[in-house]
């Protein structure tokens, strides 16, 4: 018998994408670290031409296409996605630019094991075109959020957020590019905390949920914009 400390098993993660997959690539890169508590065991796209599929394949991660257009309804599409994920013994599902609304059936199937990244500081700016709407409102701080998924769109207990100052002259594209850099930073962080059990959902007496972690935020930091 070896005296070497046992390495805890990595949680098996499936990533759902519809597009370029830069967040997916960030998760795959982070999971290469032997100490990372999760491994990316499959990438599923509902879009056959999604650029992320080639990136995943190049990284040696199995890929699958489940084209929603090939199914008569949302439920049969989702059953096919679940079958693919189950075929890889997936325990946690990460949505990374996955552009289909999911039914409560799918979401509850992965309760507290389904996470999403959104390019805004939720609960502000749910939905699409977040950066254009934030700029139109003149906000000085934008950002991104990783959260557990609940049946309402872009709603669910927040795991990690990053704040990004808005610059004079920002366009939706320039702001999106700076926020994306932070997305690639917080998504691996959030997944690690979910996979390790450090991030847990708790509810107050009124049933309102939030996430507690074993990683308290620094208490003296703040972001002022413009500084
Ligand atoms: C990201 O901005 C993500 O927050 C949003 O869609 C974009 C996907 O980008 N949900 P990528 O496919 O991860 O590059």
């Amino acid at each position: 018998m070896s005296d070497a400390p046992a390495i805890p098993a990595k949680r098996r993660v499936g990533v759902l994408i519809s597009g370029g997959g830069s967040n997916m690539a960030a998760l795959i890169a982070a999971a290469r670290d032997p100490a990372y508590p999760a491994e990316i065991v499959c990438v599923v796209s509902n879009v056959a031409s999604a650029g992320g599929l080639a990136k995943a394949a190049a990284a040696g991660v199995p890929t699958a296409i489940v084209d929603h257009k090939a199914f008569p309804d949302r439920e049969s599409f989702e059953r096919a996605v679940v079958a693919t994920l189950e075929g890889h013994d997936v325990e946690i599902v990460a949505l990374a630019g996955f552009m289909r609304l999911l039914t409560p059936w799918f979401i509850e199937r992965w309760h507290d094991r389904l996470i999403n990244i959104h390019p805004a500081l939720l609960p502000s700016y749910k939905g699409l075109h977040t950066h254009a709407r934030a700029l139109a409102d003149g906000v000085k701080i934008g950002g991104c959020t990783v959260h557990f998924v609940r049946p309402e769109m872009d709603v669910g207990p927040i795991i990690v957020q990053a704040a990004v100052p808005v610059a004079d002259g920002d366009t939706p594209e320039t702001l999106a590019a700076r926020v994306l850099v932070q997305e690639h930073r917080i998504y691996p962080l959030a997944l690690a905390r979910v996979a390790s059990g450090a991030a847990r959902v708790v509810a107050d007496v009124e049933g309102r949920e939030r996430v507690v972690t074993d990683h308290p935020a620094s208490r003296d930091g703040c972001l002022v914009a413009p500084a």
Side-chain angles (χ1 to χ4, degrees):
M1 244 176 83
S2 155
D3 287 337
I7 300 168
K10 288 171 173 256
R11 305 294 302 276
R12 298 175 66 81
V13 175
V15 183
L16 303 191
I17 65 168
S18 301
S22 69
N23 278 292
M24 171 214 73
L27 296 178
I28 292 172
R32 282 207 191 98
D33 182 342
Y36 196 79
E39 62 181 315
I40 311 304
V41 297
C42 69
V43 168
V44 182
S45 174
N46 67 312
V47 177
S49 60
L53 288 167
K55 289 181 195 159
V61 177
T63 63
I65 298 162
V66 182
D67 183 350
H68 61 277
K69 295 197 293 297
F71 296 86
D73 51 37
R74 230 173 248 282
E75 185 181 327
S76 52
F77 162 67
E78 290 184 357
R79 286 193 187 280
V81 173
V82 167
T84 304
L85 296 170
E86 285 179 342
H88 292 275
D89 294 323
V90 163
E91 300 169 277
I92 296 170
V93 178
L95 307 179
F98 182 69
M99 301 305 285
R100 298 294 294 171
L101 287 177
L102 293 163
T103 66
W105 172 76
F106 184 97
I107 291 168
E108 289 311 319
R109 167 73 182 69
W110 304 97
H111 189 78
D112 286 356
R113 296 184 298 137
L114 175 62
I115 62 178
N116 180 47
I117 186 147
H118 181 72
L121 289 173
L122 293 174
S124 295
Y125 302 110
K126 297 167 185 162
L128 298 174
H129 311 300
T130 56
H131 304 300
R133 286 156 50 212
L135 290 175
D137 286 342
V139 305
K140 299 301 183 197
I141 297 176
C144 47
T145 302
V146 182
H147 64 99
F148 286 106
V149 176
R150 294 293 183 259
E152 216 178 317
M153 188 181 61
D154 297 327
V155 167
I158 292 167
I159 306 163
V160 181
Q161 293 184 303
V164 175
V166 174
D168 288 349
D170 255 338
T171 65
E173 292 73 29
T174 60
L175 180 56
R178 290 203 314 287
V179 170
L180 194 60
V181 172
Q182 302 308 319
E183 293 184 40
H184 298 162
R185 184 174 166 192
I186 68 167
Y187 212 176
L189 189 64
L191 175 60
R193 291 177 183 178
V194 172
S196 70
R200 299 177 308 279
V201 179
V202 297
D204 67 16
V205 287
E206 287 165 31
R208 285 178 304 211
E209 295 179 307
R210 66 191 165 86
V211 171
V212 293
T213 73
D214 300 335
H215 298 265
S218 70
R219 290 180 191 282
D220 52 356
C222 86
L223 174 63
V224 176

